[in-house]
Amino acid sequence: MNKYSIAIHGGAGTLVKGMMTSEKEQAYKSSLEIALNAGYEILNHGGSAVDAVEKAVRLLEDSPLFNAGKGSVFNASGEHEMDASIMDGSNLKAGAVSMIQGIKNPITLAKDVMQKSEHVFLAGNGAMEFARAHEHVFEEASYFHDDFRHDQWQKIKDTDNFQLDHSDKIDSKFGTVGAVACDQNGNIAAATSTGGMTNKRFGRVGDSPMIGAGNYANNKTCAVSCTGSGEYFIKGVVAYDVACLIEHKGMSLEAAASEVIHRRLLEINGDGGLIAINTKAEISMPFNTEGMYRACKASNGEELIAIYGG
Ligand code: ASP
C-alpha cells in the first residue's frame, strides 16, 4: 500500500503571534483539524484523493472563519462572488467555477463541472444554471453574511482599495481555503475555494479557479493549492510553475515549491503561500507572509496544525 497523506490551508497573510485571542486561535485550529481529519478518513478507508480534497474543502467552506463559502468576503457591490476549482492528477480532469453567488459549496459545483460536463470552466449565469440543473444547495445572502467581513468591507468600500483576508493591514490578508491529497493508489488531487478579495470589483476573477495559477494536479509532478494576492499568482502561473520545475529541472517537491514562493513570486512582488503534495505523499507548505493557516497528516503518523511562521 502506498503511503498516503493530506494537507490543507485556510489562507496566508499577516498572521503574527499575539494578534488574536487564544480562543480565536483555538477556533481556527479546531476548524482546521476537523477538515483535516475528515479528508484523512476518506484516504484511510481507501477513498480517492479527489473525494478527500473535496470533503476537506467543503468543511472549510462551511466554517465562517475562512473566506470561502460561508464567511466569504464582500465585493465592491456588497455581495459575495465565489470561485473554486478542483483537479484530478491521475487523468488531468479539472473543473472550475467563477463569479457564482448563493451556492453553499462551490467546490462541489466545481467537482460536478469536472465529472458531469464536457467543460472545464463555467462562470457567472452559466455556472449558476448548471448548479440548478444539478440540484446544488442554495443559501440566502444572510447565510454568507459575517459581521467581521462586513466591517472589513465598510472600512474600504467606496475607495479603490481591495483587500485580502486575515490581518488588519490593507492588502495583506488572504483567506482562501484549499486541500491537496495523495491516496492509497498513489493518485493526487488539488482543490481550492475562495470568496476572493474584500471590495474586489464586480466580475473580478482571481487565481483560485484558474487551473495552473491557483490550483493544479498531475501525478507526474505534484498537486498544488495556492493562497495569496491572486493577480500575482495568475501572472506567475504559480501552481504550474512548481510542477514545471519538478518536471523540467528535476527539482524535489520541497525545492520547487520553495523556489516559486520564496524567489520567483517575490521577484514579481507577489505574497502568499501554497500547499503541495506528490505521489510519494511528500508535502511542502511554503509561504512568504508572516503566517498561513495550515495542517497536514500522513499515514506514517506525521501530523501538524500551525498558523505562524518561524
Ligand atoms: N488568491 C485569492 C484571490 O486572489 C485570495 C486569497 O488567497 O485569499 O482571490
Side-chain angles (χ1 to χ4, degrees), residues 9-12 67 83 162-166 173-177 192-197 200 204-209 214 226-234 271-273:
H9 71 77
N67 168 23
D83 299 334
F162 56 101
Q163 177 176 315
L164 297 146
D165 207 23
H166 291 327
K173 19 198 215 172
F174 324 105
T176 292
V177 306
T192 307
S193 180
T194 189
M197 307 208 307
K200 67 183 180 181
R204 177 263 186 188
V205 178
D207 60 312
S208 309
C226 301
T227 172
S229 40
E231 278 65 14
Y232 298 93
F233 280 70
I234 294 170
D271 51 350

CSV table of all heavy atoms in Angstrom, one decimal, residues 9-12 67 83 162-166 173-177 192-197 200 204-209 214 226-234 271-273, ligand 1:
chain,number,residue,atom,x,y,z
A,9,HIS,N,-5.1,24.2,3.7
A,9,HIS,CA,-4.7,25.6,4.1
A,9,HIS,C,-6.0,26.4,4.3
A,9,HIS,O,-7.0,26.1,3.7
A,9,HIS,CB,-3.7,26.3,3.2
A,9,HIS,CG,-4.3,26.7,1.9
A,9,HIS,ND1,-5.1,27.8,1.7
A,9,HIS,CD2,-4.2,26.1,0.6
A,9,HIS,CE1,-5.4,27.9,0.4
A,9,HIS,NE2,-4.9,26.9,-0.2
A,10,GLY,N,-5.9,27.5,5.1
A,10,GLY,CA,-7.1,28.4,5.3
A,10,GLY,C,-6.7,29.8,5.0
A,10,GLY,O,-7.3,30.7,5.5
A,11,GLY,N,-5.6,30.0,4.2
A,11,GLY,CA,-5.2,31.3,3.8
A,11,GLY,C,-3.9,31.7,4.5
A,11,GLY,O,-3.6,31.2,5.6
A,12,ALA,N,-3.1,32.5,3.7
A,12,ALA,CA,-1.9,33.1,4.3
A,12,ALA,C,-2.1,34.6,4.5
A,12,ALA,O,-3.0,35.2,4.0
A,12,ALA,CB,-0.7,32.8,3.3
A,67,ASN,N,-12.4,32.5,4.3
A,67,ASN,CA,-13.0,33.3,3.2
A,67,ASN,C,-13.3,32.4,2.1
A,67,ASN,O,-12.7,32.4,1.0
A,67,ASN,CB,-12.0,34.4,2.8
A,67,ASN,CG,-12.4,35.1,1.5
A,67,ASN,OD1,-13.5,35.1,1.1
A,67,ASN,ND2,-11.4,35.7,0.9
A,83,ASP,N,-15.3,31.7,-6.1
A,83,ASP,CA,-14.6,31.0,-7.2
A,83,ASP,C,-14.1,29.7,-6.6
A,83,ASP,O,-13.7,29.7,-5.4
A,83,ASP,CB,-13.3,31.7,-7.6
A,83,ASP,CG,-13.6,33.1,-8.2
A,83,ASP,OD1,-14.6,33.4,-8.7
A,83,ASP,OD2,-12.6,34.0,-8.1
A,162,PHE,N,-8.7,47.3,-2.7
A,162,PHE,CA,-9.3,45.9,-2.5
A,162,PHE,C,-8.3,45.2,-1.6
A,162,PHE,O,-7.1,45.4,-1.6
A,162,PHE,CB,-9.6,45.2,-3.8
A,162,PHE,CG,-8.5,45.0,-4.7
A,162,PHE,CD1,-7.8,43.8,-4.8
A,162,PHE,CD2,-8.1,46.0,-5.6
A,162,PHE,CE1,-6.8,43.6,-5.7
A,162,PHE,CE2,-7.0,45.8,-6.5
A,162,PHE,CZ,-6.4,44.6,-6.5
A,163,GLN,N,-8.9,44.3,-0.8
A,163,GLN,CA,-8.1,43.9,0.3
A,163,GLN,C,-8.2,42.3,0.5
A,163,GLN,O,-9.3,41.8,0.3
A,163,GLN,CB,-8.6,44.5,1.6
A,163,GLN,CG,-8.0,44.1,2.9
A,163,GLN,CD,-8.5,44.9,4.0
A,163,GLN,OE1,-8.6,46.1,3.9
A,163,GLN,NE2,-8.8,44.3,5.1
A,164,LEU,N,-7.1,41.7,0.8
A,164,LEU,CA,-7.1,40.3,1.1
A,164,LEU,C,-7.4,40.0,2.5
A,164,LEU,O,-7.5,41.0,3.3
A,164,LEU,CB,-5.7,39.8,0.7
A,164,LEU,CG,-5.5,40.0,-0.8
A,164,LEU,CD1,-4.1,40.2,-1.2
A,164,LEU,CD2,-6.0,38.8,-1.6
A,165,ASP,N,-7.6,38.8,2.9
A,165,ASP,CA,-8.1,38.5,4.2
A,165,ASP,C,-7.0,38.2,5.2
A,165,ASP,O,-5.9,38.0,4.9
A,165,ASP,CB,-9.0,37.2,4.0
A,165,ASP,CG,-10.0,37.1,5.0
A,165,ASP,OD1,-10.4,38.1,5.5
A,165,ASP,OD2,-10.5,36.0,5.2
A,166,HIS,N,-7.5,38.1,6.5
A,166,HIS,CA,-6.6,37.7,7.6
A,166,HIS,C,-5.5,38.6,8.1
A,166,HIS,O,-4.4,38.2,8.3
A,166,HIS,CB,-5.9,36.4,7.3
A,166,HIS,CG,-6.8,35.2,7.2
A,166,HIS,ND1,-7.9,35.1,8.0
A,166,HIS,CD2,-6.7,34.1,6.4
A,166,HIS,CE1,-8.5,33.9,7.7
A,166,HIS,NE2,-7.8,33.3,6.7
A,173,LYS,N,-3.9,40.3,3.4
A,173,LYS,CA,-4.6,39.1,4.1
A,173,LYS,C,-5.3,38.3,3.0
A,173,LYS,O,-6.0,38.8,2.2
A,173,LYS,CB,-5.5,39.5,5.2
A,173,LYS,CG,-5.9,41.0,5.2
A,173,LYS,CD,-6.5,41.3,6.6
A,173,LYS,CE,-7.6,42.2,6.5
A,173,LYS,NZ,-8.3,42.5,7.7
A,174,PHE,N,-5.1,37.0,3.2
A,174,PHE,CA,-5.7,36.0,2.3
A,174,PHE,C,-6.5,35.0,3.1
A,174,PHE,O,-5.9,34.4,4.0
A,174,PHE,CB,-4.6,35.4,1.5
A,174,PHE,CG,-3.5,36.3,1.2
A,174,PHE,CD1,-2.3,36.2,1.8
A,174,PHE,CD2,-3.6,37.2,0.2
A,174,PHE,CE1,-1.2,37.1,1.5
A,174,PHE,CE2,-2.6,38.1,-0.1
A,174,PHE,CZ,-1.4,38.0,0.6
A,175,GLY,N,-7.7,34.6,2.6
A,175,GLY,CA,-8.4,33.7,3.5
A,175,GLY,C,-9.0,32.5,2.7
A,175,GLY,O,-9.8,31.7,3.2
A,176,THR,N,-8.5,32.4,1.5
A,176,THR,CA,-8.9,31.2,0.6
A,176,THR,C,-8.6,29.9,1.3
A,176,THR,O,-7.7,29.8,2.2
A,176,THR,CB,-8.0,31.3,-0.7
A,176,THR,OG1,-8.5,32.5,-1.4
A,176,THR,CG2,-8.1,30.1,-1.6
A,177,VAL,N,-9.3,28.9,1.0
A,177,VAL,CA,-9.1,27.6,1.5
A,177,VAL,C,-8.7,26.6,0.4
A,177,VAL,O,-9.0,26.8,-0.7
A,177,VAL,CB,-10.3,27.0,2.3
A,177,VAL,CG1,-10.8,28.0,3.3
A,177,VAL,CG2,-11.4,26.6,1.3
A,192,THR,N,-9.4,24.1,-4.4
A,192,THR,CA,-9.2,25.5,-3.9
A,192,THR,C,-10.5,26.2,-4.0
A,192,THR,O,-11.3,26.1,-5.0
A,192,THR,CB,-8.1,26.3,-4.7
A,192,THR,OG1,-6.9,25.5,-4.8
A,192,THR,CG2,-7.8,27.6,-4.1
A,193,SER,N,-10.9,27.0,-2.9
A,193,SER,CA,-12.2,27.7,-3.0
A,193,SER,C,-12.0,29.0,-2.2
A,193,SER,O,-11.3,29.1,-1.2
A,193,SER,CB,-13.2,26.8,-2.2
A,193,SER,OG,-14.5,27.5,-2.2
A,194,THR,N,-12.7,30.1,-2.8
A,194,THR,CA,-12.5,31.4,-2.2
A,194,THR,C,-13.6,32.3,-2.4
A,194,THR,O,-14.4,32.2,-3.4
A,194,THR,CB,-11.2,32.1,-2.8
A,194,THR,OG1,-10.9,33.3,-2.1
A,194,THR,CG2,-11.4,32.4,-4.3
A,195,GLY,N,-13.7,33.4,-1.6
A,195,GLY,CA,-14.6,34.5,-1.8
A,195,GLY,C,-13.9,35.6,-2.5
A,195,GLY,O,-14.5,36.6,-2.8
A,196,GLY,N,-12.6,35.4,-2.7
A,196,GLY,CA,-11.8,36.4,-3.4
A,196,GLY,C,-11.2,37.5,-2.5
A,196,GLY,O,-10.7,37.1,-1.4
A,197,MET,N,-11.3,38.7,-2.8
A,197,MET,CA,-10.8,39.8,-2.0
A,197,MET,C,-11.8,40.8,-1.7
A,197,MET,O,-12.7,41.2,-2.5
A,197,MET,CB,-9.6,40.5,-2.8
A,197,MET,CG,-8.6,39.5,-3.3
A,197,MET,SD,-7.0,40.1,-3.5
A,197,MET,CE,-7.2,41.5,-4.5
A,200,LYS,N,-13.4,43.7,-4.0
A,200,LYS,CA,-12.9,43.5,-5.3
A,200,LYS,C,-14.0,44.0,-6.3
A,200,LYS,O,-15.2,44.0,-5.9
A,200,LYS,CB,-12.7,42.0,-5.6
A,200,LYS,CG,-13.9,41.1,-5.5
A,200,LYS,CD,-13.6,39.6,-5.6
A,200,LYS,CE,-14.9,38.8,-5.5
A,200,LYS,NZ,-14.7,37.4,-5.6
A,204,ARG,N,-14.5,40.5,-10.9
A,204,ARG,CA,-13.0,40.2,-10.8
A,204,ARG,C,-12.9,38.7,-10.6
A,204,ARG,O,-13.5,38.1,-9.7
A,204,ARG,CB,-12.4,41.0,-9.7
A,204,ARG,CG,-10.9,40.7,-9.4
A,204,ARG,CD,-10.8,39.7,-8.3
A,204,ARG,NE,-9.4,39.5,-7.9
A,204,ARG,CZ,-8.9,38.6,-7.1
A,204,ARG,NH1,-9.8,37.7,-6.5
A,204,ARG,NH2,-7.7,38.4,-6.8
A,205,VAL,N,-12.0,38.1,-11.3
A,205,VAL,CA,-11.7,36.6,-11.1
A,205,VAL,C,-10.3,36.5,-10.6
A,205,VAL,O,-9.4,37.1,-11.2
A,205,VAL,CB,-11.9,35.8,-12.4
A,205,VAL,CG1,-11.6,34.4,-12.2
A,205,VAL,CG2,-13.4,36.0,-12.9
A,206,GLY,N,-10.0,35.8,-9.6
A,206,GLY,CA,-8.7,35.6,-9.0
A,206,GLY,C,-8.0,34.3,-9.6
A,206,GLY,O,-8.5,33.7,-10.6
A,207,ASP,N,-7.0,33.9,-8.9
A,207,ASP,CA,-6.2,32.8,-9.3
A,207,ASP,C,-6.9,31.4,-8.9
A,207,ASP,O,-6.6,30.4,-9.6
A,207,ASP,CB,-4.8,32.8,-8.7
A,207,ASP,CG,-4.9,32.8,-7.2
A,207,ASP,OD1,-5.7,33.6,-6.6
A,207,ASP,OD2,-4.1,32.0,-6.5
A,208,SER,N,-7.7,31.5,-7.9
A,208,SER,CA,-8.2,30.2,-7.3
A,208,SER,C,-8.9,29.3,-8.3
A,208,SER,O,-8.7,28.1,-8.2
A,208,SER,CB,-9.1,30.5,-6.1
A,208,SER,OG,-8.4,31.3,-5.2
A,209,PRO,N,-9.7,29.8,-9.2
A,209,PRO,CA,-10.4,28.9,-10.1
A,209,PRO,C,-9.6,28.7,-11.4
A,209,PRO,O,-10.0,27.9,-12.2
A,209,PRO,CB,-11.7,29.7,-10.5
A,209,PRO,CG,-11.3,31.1,-10.4
A,209,PRO,CD,-10.2,31.2,-9.3
A,214,GLY,N,-3.8,29.1,-9.5
A,214,GLY,CA,-4.1,28.8,-8.1
A,214,GLY,C,-4.3,27.4,-7.7
A,214,GLY,O,-4.4,27.0,-6.5
A,226,CYS,N,-3.0,27.2,-3.9
A,226,CYS,CA,-2.4,28.4,-3.6
A,226,CYS,C,-3.3,29.4,-2.8
A,226,CYS,O,-4.5,29.3,-2.8
A,226,CYS,CB,-1.9,29.2,-4.8
A,226,CYS,SG,-0.8,28.3,-5.8
A,227,THR,N,-2.7,30.3,-2.1
A,227,THR,CA,-3.4,31.4,-1.4
A,227,THR,C,-2.5,32.6,-1.4
A,227,THR,O,-1.3,32.5,-1.2
A,227,THR,CB,-3.8,31.1,0.0
A,227,THR,OG1,-4.3,32.3,0.6
A,227,THR,CG2,-2.7,30.5,0.9
A,228,GLY,N,-3.1,33.8,-1.8
A,228,GLY,CA,-2.3,35.0,-1.8
A,228,GLY,C,-2.9,36.0,-2.8
A,228,GLY,O,-4.0,35.8,-3.2
A,229,SER,N,-2.1,37.0,-3.1
A,229,SER,CA,-2.6,38.1,-4.0
A,229,SER,C,-2.8,37.5,-5.4
A,229,SER,O,-1.8,37.3,-6.1
A,229,SER,CB,-1.6,39.2,-4.0
A,229,SER,OG,-0.3,38.7,-4.0
A,230,GLY,N,-4.0,37.2,-5.7
A,230,GLY,CA,-4.4,36.4,-6.9
A,230,GLY,C,-3.8,36.9,-8.2
A,230,GLY,O,-3.3,36.2,-9.0
A,231,GLU,N,-3.7,38.3,-8.3
A,231,GLU,CA,-3.2,38.8,-9.6
A,231,GLU,C,-1.8,38.4,-9.8
A,231,GLU,O,-1.4,38.1,-11.0
A,231,GLU,CB,-3.3,40.4,-9.5
A,231,GLU,CG,-4.7,41.0,-9.8
A,231,GLU,CD,-5.8,40.6,-8.8
A,231,GLU,OE1,-5.5,40.1,-7.7
A,231,GLU,OE2,-7.0,40.8,-9.1
A,232,TYR,N,-1.0,38.3,-8.8
A,232,TYR,CA,0.4,37.9,-9.0
A,232,TYR,C,0.5,36.4,-9.2
A,232,TYR,O,1.4,35.9,-9.9
A,232,TYR,CB,1.2,38.3,-7.7
A,232,TYR,CG,1.3,39.8,-7.6
A,232,TYR,CD1,0.3,40.4,-6.8
A,232,TYR,CD2,2.1,40.6,-8.3
A,232,TYR,CE1,0.3,41.8,-6.6
A,232,TYR,CE2,2.1,42.0,-8.2
A,232,TYR,CZ,1.2,42.6,-7.3
A,232,TYR,OH,1.2,43.9,-7.2
A,233,PHE,N,-0.4,35.6,-8.6
A,233,PHE,CA,-0.4,34.2,-8.8
A,233,PHE,C,-0.8,33.8,-10.2
A,233,PHE,O,-0.3,32.8,-10.8
A,233,PHE,CB,-1.3,33.5,-7.8
A,233,PHE,CG,-0.6,33.3,-6.4
A,233,PHE,CD1,-0.4,34.4,-5.6
A,233,PHE,CD2,-0.2,32.0,-6.0
A,233,PHE,CE1,0.2,34.2,-4.4
A,233,PHE,CE2,0.4,31.9,-4.7
A,233,PHE,CZ,0.6,33.0,-3.9
A,234,ILE,N,-1.6,34.7,-10.8
A,234,ILE,CA,-2.0,34.5,-12.2
A,234,ILE,C,-0.8,34.8,-13.1
A,234,ILE,O,-0.5,34.0,-14.0
A,234,ILE,CB,-3.2,35.4,-12.6
A,234,ILE,CG1,-4.5,34.9,-11.8
A,234,ILE,CG2,-3.5,35.3,-14.1
A,234,ILE,CD1,-5.7,35.9,-11.9
A,271,ASP,N,2.7,38.1,-2.8
A,271,ASP,CA,2.9,37.5,-1.5
A,271,ASP,C,1.8,36.4,-1.3
A,271,ASP,O,0.6,36.6,-1.8
A,271,ASP,CB,2.9,38.5,-0.4
A,271,ASP,CG,1.8,39.5,-0.4
A,271,ASP,OD1,1.1,39.5,-1.5
A,271,ASP,OD2,1.6,40.3,0.5
A,272,GLY,N,2.1,35.4,-0.5
A,272,GLY,CA,1.2,34.4,-0.2
A,272,GLY,C,1.9,33.0,0.0
A,272,GLY,O,3.1,33.0,0.4
A,273,GLY,N,1.2,32.0,-0.2
A,273,GLY,CA,1.8,30.7,0.1
A,273,GLY,C,1.1,29.6,-0.7
A,273,GLY,O,0.1,29.9,-1.5
B,1,ASP,N1,-6.0,34.1,-4.0
B,1,ASP,C1,-7.3,34.6,-3.6
B,1,ASP,C2,-7.7,35.6,-4.7
B,1,ASP,O1,-6.9,36.4,-5.2
B,1,ASP,C3,-7.2,35.3,-2.3
B,1,ASP,C4,-6.8,34.5,-1.2
B,1,ASP,O2,-5.9,33.7,-1.3
B,1,ASP,O3,-7.4,34.7,-0.1
B,1,ASP,O4,-8.9,35.6,-5.0
